[in-house]
Amino acid sequence: MQSIQNYINGELVSPVNQNYLDNFEPATGKIYSKIPESDSDDLELAVIAAESAKSEWANMPAEQRSNLLMKLADAIETASEELARAEAIDNGKPIAFARAVDSYRSAANIRFFANAATQFSSECHDMGSVGVNFTLRQPIGVVACISPWNLPLYLFTWKIAPALACGNVVIAKPSEVTPMTAYIFSRLCIEAGIPKGVINILHGSGPAIGSPLVNHPKIKAVSFTGGSATGRAIASQIAPMLKKFSLELGGKNPTLVFADSCKDQASFDNTVSEVARAAFSNQGQICLCGSRIYVERSVYERFKTALVKKVRALRIGDPLVEETQHGALVSKAHYEKVYSYIELAKEEGGTVLTGGNKRTPEGRCSGGYFIEPTVIEGLSSECRVNQEEIFGPVCTIQPFDSEEEAVTKANGTEYGLATSVWSSNVSRCHRLSSQLDFGIVWINCWLLRDLRTPFGGMKSSGMGREGGLEAMRFFTEPKNVCIKY
Ligand code: NAD
């Protein structure tokens, strides 16, 4: 059975303690590889490697750093099919999705920040005849990048790329639930000629290696994506150490459908398709998925019927089959958690319109963690199912009567990551953009990404932003230089 290895000082190595965790294939429920359960001993080796690589990487001309990152992006593109297949096996997502989203965007992340390395600039504040201030933006040093399991390599590279582009060295920890593409990525770093120690990848669980990593005194900044509870725990540990940190956390994202978005059949069909895509892409396991659907009452019944029809038509099955649109949930624990929310929805008075069941495909996937895409109606906005993040293929649908009611319902959870609004009324769209308390407001679209934009959430959905200049600013220390004439 394959054993994943850590990547330290440019080499693939076994964990010092020789402890390994089991890695499951979610579509079959079977163990298919071993993953290092790294600890502080491995961390010390990674810190030594990063410290010794720090100065040369920080002082390398930006163009040279950029060229190395471009080679890494090329290597990801060359390995894109291998990566897509590995992601589908490790995570349970359909291979077509892994190809179009995960491997494609991982290369795009690296390429985008490779360009940013040579385009980034800082401010100058002219004081006229008195003098001038300028801002030096210098790398922070050794930084930690910690990522979750839902878009494994995509979110891993979304952090590592800007950190490296700014001249930092990285110790990264992928999710222990989906380690395989980070392992392949280690090999690609070697192939691309990334200097030793510039990036180090440690595998293992949060308690064994995540917590020691963020707490290590040599780690100067932490970029974290994961659940809100984990984010809070990390913040409470490292805020007193005065480390810089950025937290991208959970969501409970609303989708608002106004009747004027359904004026003709083509726009109605498009809205239904996109709302279904927003709810169920990646089995609903995207932090940005729209899991609370609010529809203006005058089109509610028609919209609901069309949505249910659309969702029922999704092809569920083996993630490695090209035609599959809905794969397995990532782990047994997550599968049981998601299913428990379907049972809770029934207790809370909800009616399952479609789905609601565990599914056992025949053959190879009979032991897999499949749940049908599920739409539930009849729940109040205040119930737990509409307040807590489920992070699976479960959405609720409710009617609303006025714009004010829609905004109140949309804003009525502790989360504030993303929302999408479907309307042809331009004034309304502008009004709602300012009234909705979310880091990302999509108007007549969902998950339309431009890597230059600030990415992240408000309220319990996070602190700080990633993307474009926000990421470049996070991963640099601004130093004001004041010169008196
Ligand atoms: P998680 O919080 O359980 O784990 C995330 C990562 O943190 C993993 O690598 C884990 O090993 C590590 N970790 C756990 N405890 C740690 C600790 N004490 N110290 C350091 N690291 C620790 O989250 P998950 O279940 O992997 O991911 C799902 C969550 O991520 C959902 O809530 C989802 O909304 C969120 N998410 C947010 C975004 C975003 O951009 N806002 C994107 C994707 C996922």
Side-chain angles (χ1 to χ4, degrees):
M1 185 175 293
Q2 187 179 17
S3 285
I4 284 172
Q5 288 180 297
N6 287 330
Y7 175 54
I8 301 175
N9 201 28
E11 286 175 13
L12 295 168
V13 291
S14 305
V16 174
N17 61 22
Q18 295 295 327
N19 283 342
Y20 287 86
L21 304 169
D22 292 330
N23 187 26
F24 289 82
E25 179 179 3
T28 62
K30 295 193 177 127
I31 299 167
Y32 85 104
S33 85
K34 295 283 175 191
I35 157 175
E37 176 70 315
S38 309
D39 63 22
S40 298
D41 289 342
D42 305 285
L43 177 58
E44 283 311 322
L45 296 177
V47 169
I48 291 167
E51 282 286 331
S52 60
K54 187 170 80 173
S55 166
E56 193 180 331
W57 184 252
N59 291 310
M60 185 182 278
E63 195 179 353
Q64 216 176 316
R65 273 205 307 268
S66 172
N67 288 341
L68 281 165
L69 290 175
M70 286 293 185
K71 281 192 187 150
L72 184 54
D74 292 344
I76 294 176
E77 264 162 21
T78 305
S80 63
E81 194 54 32
E82 178 190 2
L83 288 166
R85 192 177 158 81
E87 212 73 286
I89 293 171
D90 212 22
N91 175 282
K93 64 180 67 196
I95 189 160
F97 182 94
R99 197 179 286 132
V101 178
D102 294 77
S103 40
Y104 167 75
R105 285 188 181 271
S106 301
N109 286 342
I110 305 271
R111 208 173 286 293
F112 176 86
F113 284 106
N115 281 316
T118 59
Q119 306 300 314
F120 190 40
S121 60
S122 58
E123 306 84 7
C124 170
H125 297 94
D126 186 6
M127 296 169 81
S129 60
V130 178
V132 67
N133 289 278
F134 62 89
T135 310
L136 275 182
R137 285 211 163 255
Q138 295 176 306
I140 298 169
V142 188
V143 301
C145 297
I146 299 182
S147 54
W149 49 257
N150 62 325
L151 298 162
L153 190 61
Y154 172 7
L155 294 176
F156 199 55
T157 51
W158 182 232
K159 299 178 174 307
I160 291 171
L164 295 179
C166 292
N168 301 286
V169 288
V170 173
I171 302 180
K173 193 199 96 58
S175 170
E176 67 277 24
V177 184
T178 51
M180 191 55 82
T181 49
Y183 176 50
I184 297 172
F185 178 76
S186 309
R187 192 194 79 215
L188 300 178
C189 289
I190 298 170
E191 284 173 19
I194 301 294
K196 288 180 178 198
V198 164
I199 166 152
N200 304 276
I201 298 174
L202 299 177
H203 293 274
S205 66
I209 187 62
S211 185
L213 172 61
V214 298
N215 282 291
H216 196 288
K218 290 272 163 85
I219 296 291
K220 300 299 175 199
V222 175
S223 174
F224 171 82
T225 299
S228 298
T230 317
R232 273 198 192 93
I234 291 174
S236 70
Q237 287 167 17
I238 65 175
M241 299 169 83
L242 306 181
K243 294 188 187 206
K244 200 171 183 183
F245 59 89
S246 152
L247 306 172
E248 301 299 334
L249 309 176
K252 188 74 183 173
N253 311 302
T255 301
L256 307 184
V257 179
F258 287 88
D260 57 25
S261 72
C262 304
K263 273 181 185 154
D264 53 58
Q265 193 61 41
S267 50
F268 175 80
D269 291 345
N270 178 56
T271 307
V272 171
S273 286
E274 289 298 289
V275 170
R277 189 173 74 88
F280 295 110
S281 285
N282 208 37
Q283 295 69 248
Q285 300 166 134
I286 302 181
C287 53
L288 308 159
C289 277
S291 57
R292 297 181 290 140
I293 303 169
Y294 299 104
V295 184
E296 195 165 3
R297 197 177 296 276
S298 60
V299 289
Y300 181 78
E301 287 301 326
R302 182 173 162 232
F303 190 92
K304 181 180 87 178
T305 306
L307 180 74
V308 165
K309 189 171 167 210
K310 188 101 210 157
V311 173
R312 265 192 202 137
L314 288 172
R315 287 187 294 273
I316 307 175
D318 188 340
L320 295 179
V321 170
E322 285 297 327
E323 292 72 31
T324 295
Q325 295 170 307
H326 187 90
L329 298 199
V330 75
S331 67
K332 180 137 179 61
H334 191 59
Y335 163 76
E336 296 299 351
K337 179 196 142 179
V338 170
Y339 188 68
S340 76
Y341 274 99
I342 296 174
E343 294 192 315
L344 176 64
K346 292 178 198 158
E347 283 165 30
E348 291 186 320
T351 304
V352 174
L353 299 176
T354 185
N357 302 303
K358 293 178 175 176
R359 180 74 81 93
T360 27
E362 286 178 6
R364 181 184 105 81
C365 295
S366 59
Y369 314 135
F370 295 82
I371 289 185
E372 294 168 348
T374 300
V375 182
I376 300 168
E377 86 169 337
L379 290 170
S380 73
S381 298
E382 295 72 32
C383 72
R384 280 184 54 203
V385 169
N386 271 327
Q387 289 292 322
E388 298 173 14
E389 185 185 43
I390 301 174
F391 211 53
V394 179
C395 72
T396 65
I397 184 163
Q398 276 180 263
F400 67 83
D401 290 300
S402 68
E403 192 179 301
E404 294 69 29
E405 185 191 349
V407 171
T408 305
K409 284 186 161 156
N411 285 341
T413 75
E414 66 169 297
Y415 296 102
L417 185 52
T419 178
S420 67
V421 176
W422 297 85
S423 169
S424 60
N425 180 332
V426 176
S427 302
R428 188 207 311 275
C429 292
H430 279 286
R431 245 187 339 264
L432 292 194
S433 305
S434 72
Q435 290 171 4
L436 289 164
D437 297 333
F438 296 87
I440 301 163
V441 179
W442 275 300
I443 305 285
N444 294 320
C445 58
W446 177 77
L447 204 49
L448 180 57
R449 293 285 291 123
D450 177 335
L451 302 189
R452 295 167 301 177
T453 57
F455 178 89
M458 300 163 62
K459 295 155 69 179
S460 293
S461 292
M463 272 185 79
R465 295 291 185 275
E466 299 187 312
L469 289 178
E470 300 283 342
M472 299 298 279
R473 292 197 180 110
F474 174 76
F475 281 116
T476 49
E477 192 70 69
K479 185 188 284 178
N480 179 61
V481 180
C482 178
I483 302 174
K484 185 171 185 291
Y485 296 149

